[in-house]
Amino acid sequence: MEAACPAPTAGKFVVVGGGIAGVTCAEQLATHFPSEDILLVTASPVIKAVTNFKQISKILEEFDVEEQPSTMLEHRFPNIKVIESGVKQLKSEDHCIITEDGNQHIYKKLCLCTGAKPKLICEGNPYVLGIRDTDSAQEFQKQLTKAKRIMIIGNGGIALELAYEIEGCEVIWAIKDKAIGNTFFDAGAAEFLTAKLISEKSEAKIAHKRTRYTTEGRKKEARSKSKADNIGSALGPDWHEGLNLKGTKQFSRKIHIETMCEVKKIYPQDEFRILKKKSFTFPGDHKSVTTDTEIWPVYVELTNENIYGCDFIVSATGVTPNVEPFLHGNSFDLGEDGGLKVDDHMHTSLPDVYAAGDICTASWQLSPVWQQMRLWTQARQMGWYAAKCMAAASSGDSIDMDFSFELFAHVTKFFNYKVVLLGKYNAQGLGSDHELMLRCTKGQEYIKVVMQNGRMMGAVLIGETDLEETFENLILNQMNLSSYGEDLLDPNIDIEDYFD
């Protein structure tokens, strides 16, 4: 018999998910309602907290993400109560969630922030690792110490970082696009970065910014019981810091990129032998590719017919919103990407249920220079704004759309370069009706501006360009820049003097 929910008398604010969106939302609610208990329900014993937050410009922000035991959150906000359990069921009609530990919690407003999980190229294959959270990153490090060759599949941020960070192991990197980093860069920027990838890596490692609490040791028994595959929160931009990503061989970097292809089939060793297929050696310096005599644990056939053996495969092919536990018995509107659709107040299609971060799909009339990407900055902004909306709704106030959704702005690091992405930085959705302006100094900076009808719509800034604030303003105020022509990127003209 199903557990019946008690009558909705003591409804609380309830947030599900201990990642950046959930924790930011809970903190914001706790500040807004100091005398009310805020429940944060999370399957993991550690939460993700934003630290060292810096507002770089109007919209650009930089912060570190730290894993902390949930007790630290309760210490900072005595009115946040953390419940360490997954959610088994949502009964939206009863305003009630049932957690894996069998308890029920009545909510007056609920915010779902359970993030997304990696899309694995194939489920249940021991040779395929997905990297999404600290646990899987550590598992990867363990496997790598024994590896002579690995294969990376995917072209997002994690694949980019991996390709750069791995040493002493051959890497075959298969991407479905023409150039690396397709979600972030065009071919020009990719080429600028590829030069760095192929050159030897000599710069000293930068000291890591995050202290790490891992879920290892603590609650090991409890965790194996509550399904070992419980999903931890997403990794941050410098997730590989403090992990020693070295394979068995004595060289710095050896990488081969296979473009415009995907995985066709994965063969275990014995099946490969029976089929008498041939695999290739590592495509090295100008030597012709020959049949590989080495025997590998697993073989990958790509859609371009090339076959390589390797020790294991890293699947870094993006994420799918983690909506599973909430769908049963509830009629959520879902986006094309499988996320919970939210309106401009982060409200889902069900009453009093909100969503923020990777789990949701922004379904309002978007600003022409903003797009949703499943990134940490957006998780923080959405969690913060969702809390504001929940607070406003429960006290009957109206609230304006948050300013951070006016312009897409993201700052990160790739290959030790500072990378700033603004607006429609890849001319997303602009059709052929746009032009690009470029300035590139090899090994130092790469600047690309996307223009449409004389107005700046987006920009990619790689390196220390100091142009982010000026460009942010030019995109936001949509000033007509036709009269400046190419001078806009002339390094001898201090563009900031024009527009401040």
Side-chain angles (χ1 to χ4, degrees):
M1 187 184 132
E2 281 198 3
C5 285
T9 42
K12 291 185 167 72
F13 287 107
V14 178
V15 181
V16 181
I20 286 299
V23 171
T24 306
C25 181
E27 290 180 341
Q28 201 51 41
L29 286 167
T31 310
H32 206 281
F33 300 104
S35 57
E36 290 199 33
D37 278 352
I38 313 296
L39 295 190
L40 179 66
V41 180
T42 170
S44 161
V46 290
I47 54 109
K48 292 274 194 295
V50 169
T51 57
N52 304 331
F53 180 83
K54 288 193 289 290
Q55 195 73 43
I56 300 177
S57 62
K58 219 179 301 184
I59 295 180
L60 266 180
E61 54 185 51
E62 225 177 355
F63 54 85
D64 294 334
V65 173
E66 210 174 86
E67 289 199 326
Q68 300 176 343
S70 50
T71 45
M72 273 175 81
L73 180 67
E74 294 176 316
H75 191 73
R76 280 200 307 276
F77 296 90
N79 58 329
I80 292 182
K81 303 282 174 265
V82 178
I83 293 162
E84 201 184 301
S85 174
V87 170
K88 192 153 118 198
Q89 199 190 354
L90 161 64
K91 297 186 158 187
S92 57
E93 285 178 9
D94 300 336
H95 276 59
C96 162
I97 60 166
I98 299 170
T99 45
E100 295 281 1
D101 57 18
N103 288 324
Q104 299 150 12
H105 304 280
I106 298 289
Y107 61 84
K108 55 179 167 190
K109 304 265 178 224
L110 171 69
C111 192
L112 301 176
C113 308
T114 48
K117 52 177 185 281
K119 288 183 199 150
L120 280 186
I121 42 177
C122 75
E123 296 287 337
N125 185 323
Y127 294 107
V128 177
L129 296 181
I131 300 188
R132 173 69 182 164
D133 51 24
T134 318
D135 287 349
S136 55
Q138 283 174 335
E139 175 58 28
F140 166 68
Q141 181 188 3
K142 227 163 42 203
Q143 299 283 342
L144 187 61
T145 53
K146 308 187 285 279
K148 291 193 292 248
R149 183 192 296 165
I150 69 163
M151 191 140 184
I152 300 176
I153 313 291
N155 201 7
I158 282 189
L160 270 175
E161 289 292 355
L162 268 182
Y164 182 65
E165 289 292 332
I166 290 171
E167 297 179 359
C169 175
E170 295 173 345
V171 175
I172 302 207
W173 182 10
I175 60 177
K176 63 176 192 295
D177 314 290
K178 286 194 191 71
I180 65 167
N182 192 50
T183 23
F184 297 101
F185 311 119
D186 58 357
E191 188 154 333
F192 174 83
L193 286 169
T194 308
K196 179 102 173 225
L197 194 58
I198 297 162
S199 71
E200 280 299 303
K201 193 170 41 164
S202 58
E203 45 306 6
K205 282 269 196 278
I206 304 159
H208 353 298
K209 293 193 292 242
R210 297 164 207 264
T211 39
R212 293 182 178 271
Y213 288 89
T214 60
T215 48
E216 290 217 7
R218 180 167 177 254
K219 305 237 165 139
K220 202 114 194 219
E221 332 58 78
R223 279 180 73 240
S224 53
K225 223 173 37 244
S226 74
K227 312 207 282 287
D229 58 356
N230 253 341
I231 303 151
S233 318
L235 288 161
D238 40 0
W239 60 273
H240 48 75
E241 297 287 9
L243 288 176
N244 180 10
L245 300 186
K246 274 191 172 26
T248 55
K249 299 196 169 184
Q250 286 308 310
F251 51 77
S252 168
R253 207 191 279 123
K254 216 167 174 184
I255 193 156
H256 169 72
I257 303 174
E258 290 272 343
T259 57
M260 316 267 300
C261 67
E262 294 181 61
V263 172
K264 184 172 167 186
K265 196 160 168 32
I266 297 174
Y267 302 94
Q269 189 187 79
D270 46 357
E271 188 185 334
F272 192 77
R273 243 197 329 253
I274 294 164
L275 291 169
K276 296 197 165 50
K277 285 188 174 287
K278 301 245 187 299
S279 73
F280 298 149
T281 52
F282 188 85
D285 315 312
H286 320 297
K287 55 174 196 272
S288 56
V289 173
T290 51
T291 303
D292 198 348
T293 50
E294 184 144 357
I295 297 190
W296 298 95
V298 64
Y299 291 84
V300 182
E301 182 174 1
L302 300 170
T303 47
N304 61 10
E305 317 268 281
N306 290 353
I307 300 180
Y308 294 101
C310 59
D311 288 300
F312 65 90
I313 302 148
V314 180
S315 174
T317 46
V319 297
T320 29
N322 208 9
V323 295
E324 213 30 70
F326 311 112
L327 297 184
H328 176 72
N330 300 302
S331 49
F332 280 109
D333 289 347
L334 297 181
E336 282 172 26
D337 56 11
L340 303 177
K341 277 188 173 182
V342 292
D343 63 15
D344 56 2
H345 285 67
M346 306 310 290
H347 198 267
T348 66
S349 54
L350 298 182
D352 298 320
V353 181
Y354 296 74
D358 287 0
I359 189 179
C360 76
T361 302
S363 304
W364 60 85
Q365 188 65 54
L366 304 182
S367 143
V369 287
W370 186 85
Q371 61 275 343
Q372 182 178 10
M373 280 181 80
R374 291 185 160 82
L375 299 165
W376 287 44
T377 36
Q378 291 194 353
R380 195 203 68 80
Q381 290 160 348
M382 285 177 168
W384 186 87
Y385 177 56
K388 289 269 188 231
C389 294
M390 291 162 80
S394 68
S395 42
D397 302 326
S398 65
I399 181 175
D400 287 333
M401 183 85 203
D402 188 69
F403 191 67
S404 58
F405 301 106
E406 286 297 304
L407 169 68
F408 176 86
H410 184 60
V411 60
T412 185
K413 255 197 158 65
F414 281 125
F415 305 177
N416 267 343
Y417 287 109
K418 175 177 171 182
V419 176
V420 176
L421 306 171
L422 296 171
K424 298 287 174 188
Y425 60 89
N426 246 352
Q428 296 95 320
L430 298 184
S432 52
D433 171 32
H434 68 272
E435 51 192 44
L436 302 180
M437 291 205 274
L438 289 180
R439 172 173 123 204
C440 179
T441 315
K442 210 173 161 149
Q444 200 183 333
E445 60 172 18
Y446 175 93
I447 298 167
K448 175 185 80 168
V449 174
V450 179
M451 305 291 291
Q452 190 174 45
N453 306 328
R455 289 170 173 81
M456 193 182 291
M457 298 299 287
V460 174
L461 307 171
I462 305 178
E464 297 297 333
T465 64
D466 273 340
L467 289 168
E468 49 267 34
E469 220 163 330
T470 308
F471 283 9
E472 178 182 83
N473 287 326
L474 291 177
I475 298 173
L476 280 171
N477 64 29
Q478 288 292 292
M479 180 174 158
N480 193 332
L481 304 167
S482 312
S483 55
Y484 296 98
E486 295 291 312
D487 284 354
L488 204 54
L489 293 186
D490 186 336
N492 304 314
I493 296 178
D494 194 354
I495 182 158
E496 293 167 48
D497 295 346
Y498 281 116
F499 322 103
D500 261 348

